[in-house]
């Protein structure tokens, strides 16, 4: 199972990477330049993670959505059939005039 980090975790990773490269600690203020940039990038990277996970899920029939399942089936010559109404009959043996209790097997 693929785990997607939260936007906060991604932001913290970006800030830690910037701090290690410049050799300084980024100020705590939320409007500090590197914090603003890291937050914006974290949002974009989070979307990329989610899109990548969705694409990965479409590869496998077990996790694919409906449109992808249809396309996977078409690759193997399996096509969706139109639905048809079911006609069922049930024969119950017993004495006339006696009700069958709901849930009887």
């Amino acid at each position: 199972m693929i785990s997607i980090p939260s936007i906060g975790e991604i932001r913290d990773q970006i800030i830690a990477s910037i701090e290690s490269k410049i050799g300084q600690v980024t100020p705590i203020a939320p409007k500090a330049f590197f914090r603003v940039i890291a937050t914006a990038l974290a949002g974009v990277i989070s979307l990329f993670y989610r899109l990548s996970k969705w694409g990965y899920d479409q590869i496998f029939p077990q996790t694919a959505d409906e449109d992808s399942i249809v396309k996977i089936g078409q690759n193997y010559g399996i096509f969706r059939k139109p639905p048809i109404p079911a006609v069922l009959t049930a024969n119950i043996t017993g004495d006339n005039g006696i009700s069958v209790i709901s849930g009887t097997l």
Side-chain angles (χ1 to χ4, degrees):
M1 181 92 172
I2 298 173
S3 171
I4 299 175
S6 69
I7 293 176
E9 292 171 340
I10 296 170
R11 181 196 62 226
D12 293 342
Q13 289 174 354
I14 293 170
I15 290 172
S17 179
I18 291 172
E19 288 175 346
S20 71
K21 295 291 183 188
I22 64 173
Q24 292 180 350
V25 176
T26 304
I28 301 293
K31 292 185 179 181
F33 176 75
F34 287 132
R35 290 197 185 276
V36 171
I37 294 296
T39 303
L41 286 175
V44 173
I45 292 170
S46 176
L47 289 175
F48 177 73
Y49 269 117
R50 291 172 194 209
L51 179 63
S52 298
K53 182 184 180 309
W54 176 84
Y56 181 78
D57 286 344
Q58 302 318 302
I59 296 171
F60 304 105
Q62 296 86 347
T63 56
D65 61 17
E66 185 176 351
D67 293 335
S68 295
I69 284 286
V70 170
K71 289 177 185 174
I72 291 170
Q74 289 172 350
N75 288 341
Y76 292 99
I78 302 170
F79 300 95
R80 180 175 281 187
K81 296 179 183 176
I84 56 171
V87 178
L88 306 172
T89 58
N91 295 323
I92 301 173
T93 57
D95 298 329
N96 287 337
I98 294 180
S99 297
V100 178
I101 299 170
S102 176
T104 301
L105 299 177

